[in-house]
Amino acid sequence: MPFFIDTIVPALSSEEAAWMYLLHIGMIGNSTCRECNTEMNMIWAEDAFRCICGYQEAVEFCLQEVTHSRLSLRQIVLVLYEIAKSSNCVAQIAEVCGMDRKLVYLIKSEIAECLKRWMLYDSREGYGFLGGHGTVVEIDEAFLGRRKNNRGSAENRRQGDPLLGFVERGSGRCYFVPVIRRTIVEMYPIILQHVLPGTVVVTDYWRSYLALSRDPDFQHYRVNHSVSFVSPEGYHTNTVEGSWYQVRKTIGTSKTSNNELTWMMARKRCALNTTYTFYTKMIEVITDRRFREPCT
């Protein structure tokens, strides 16, 4: 991959090269002296900046787990790339980077929190996530569990908590939320939280979606799957239903991990869904102060 060869490999050649790379992408805090406003030098042995005027300051990275660890700069470059390349395999990342699994898990969790804030952030509409005037958002719910010996009623054969899924038609942006029950009391507030007013919402005939038809902020179309896969108006839910295969492949069928869902949703939001585009977006998010701090 040209991106890996031309960018990552040179940064792994030495601590100084890794330092310059991390400084370039914004992973390292400001290296300007607060006393005389000149560029400070890096003191490798002490992980600190030192200025010619005598002022010294510890190096701080955008990620707290990285700042508090004793990783080399080359390890930091490598673990960021490995997380972007194989974000669901902590053991493999730890082995490649020569790191403790728990530390890799903590770094991944911190990045996942940044990605969550990024996906919920919208500078124009507050925290509206999907849709908008005239945009189509498909909504569906599914159980991720397997049927046990194919016995019992259909409801009893379902294992695990259901997921409520949203997919924005055209952009591929998506959001999946674990819910306890598929009731209107639980699902409707989540829909209001993640879908902007003016959106064209398409669902099946599950009764919990009826409230959308009475809400003037949405254009609601329903698909009766017992009759057809397309509504009389020409709308369908094939996009969101097709996403359940990828969800099951990503997080398995026995549990619904919020962090694993976050990684999957963040990858789908990147246009080309490649390691390069996801790595670039991941660095952009974790170096943005808005996404490193809890939303208030």
Side-chain angles (χ1 to χ4, degrees):
M1 182 182 296
F3 166 73
F4 180 76
I5 296 174
D6 297 340
T7 307
I8 301 298
V9 170
L12 298 175
S13 61
S14 66
E15 288 291 278
E16 184 175 1
W19 161 259
M20 295 303 297
Y21 175 74
L22 292 170
L23 192 63
H24 173 71
I25 65 176
M27 275 295 297
I28 296 177
N30 190 8
S31 60
T32 303
C33 179
R34 299 183 183 183
E35 299 292 334
C36 62
N37 202 34
T38 59
E39 191 73 12
M40 295 185 291
N41 296 319
M42 173 68 174
I43 309 301
W44 308 106
E46 302 176 15
D47 286 339
F49 291 117
R50 181 175 295 169
C51 182
I52 56 176
C53 71
Y55 178 79
Q56 184 167 319
E57 185 176 290
V59 173
E60 290 191 3
F61 298 91
C62 292
L63 298 174
Q64 291 298 315
E65 294 298 339
V66 172
T67 300
H68 297 158
S69 70
R70 299 298 299 177
L71 297 175
S72 69
L73 297 174
R74 282 178 287 185
Q75 280 181 309
I76 296 172
V77 173
L78 186 57
V79 73
L80 291 174
Y81 174 77
E82 288 295 328
I83 286 175
K85 186 177 71 171
S86 53
S87 60
N88 286 314
C89 187
V90 170
Q92 181 181 358
I93 297 171
E95 182 178 356
V96 171
C97 300
M99 297 169 52
D100 180 69
R101 292 186 183 184
K102 183 177 180 180
L103 179 57
V104 173
Y105 174 79
L106 292 174
I107 293 174
K108 278 194 59 183
S109 297
E110 186 176 356
I111 296 176
E113 289 300 316
C114 295
L115 293 173
K116 287 178 185 177
R117 295 175 192 129
W118 161 60
M119 288 188 290
L120 288 173
Y121 182 84
D122 189 301
S123 59
R124 296 166 300 176
E125 302 290 347
Y127 292 101
F129 178 47
L130 295 176
H133 183 71
T135 303
V136 178
V137 172
E138 301 175 18
I139 303 177
D140 191 31
E141 79 290 336
F143 287 86
L144 299 187
R146 296 187 179 95
R147 294 178 179 180
K148 186 175 181 180
N149 299 326
N150 203 32
R151 295 178 180 176
S153 65
E155 189 68 29
N156 291 335
R157 288 197 300 260
R158 299 188 179 106
Q159 303 293 323
D161 294 334
L163 281 181
L164 181 62
F166 308 77
V167 174
E168 184 178 274
R169 186 93 56 86
S171 70
R173 295 193 303 162
C174 61
Y175 203 76
F176 298 93
V177 186
V179 293
I180 299 175
R181 291 177 297 274
R182 299 183 300 160
T183 62
I184 187 172
V185 174
E186 183 161 353
M187 291 170 55
Y188 188 60
I190 295 175
I191 295 173
L192 294 180
Q193 181 183 358
H194 296 291
V195 181
L196 296 174
T199 301
V200 177
V201 178
V202 186
T203 69
D204 57 21
Y205 261 61
W206 181 248
R207 58 182 177 271
S208 296
Y209 299 127
L210 287 175
L212 292 170
S213 299
R214 299 188 291 266
D215 193 327
D217 289 334
F218 301 108
Q219 299 179 52
H220 184 210
Y221 297 96
R222 298 194 295 165
V223 182
N224 189 347
H225 289 148
S226 63
V227 176
S228 174
F229 291 103
V230 181
S231 71
E233 299 82 6
Y235 292 97
H236 62 80
T237 58
N238 296 345
T239 310
V240 64
E241 289 178 8
S243 67
W244 294 123
Y245 170 78
Q246 184 175 356
V247 172
R248 290 184 174 95
K249 183 179 178 181
T250 301
I251 69 173
T253 58
S254 59
K255 61 180 180 179
T256 53
S257 167
N258 285 331
N259 280 350
E260 290 169 346
L261 286 171
T262 298
W263 287 108
M264 190 203 73
M265 292 184 290
R267 285 182 175 277
K268 286 183 71 67
R269 291 200 67 179
C270 295
L272 300 178
N273 196 21
T274 63
T275 300
Y276 172 76
T277 56
F278 182 65
Y279 178 87
T280 303
K281 174 55 68 175
M282 186 181 77
I283 295 299
E284 178 185 327
V285 168
I286 61 182
T287 54
D288 191 324
R289 185 176 295 275
R290 295 174 300 175
F291 309 131
R292 297 201 306 270
E293 300 172 354
C295 301
T296 57

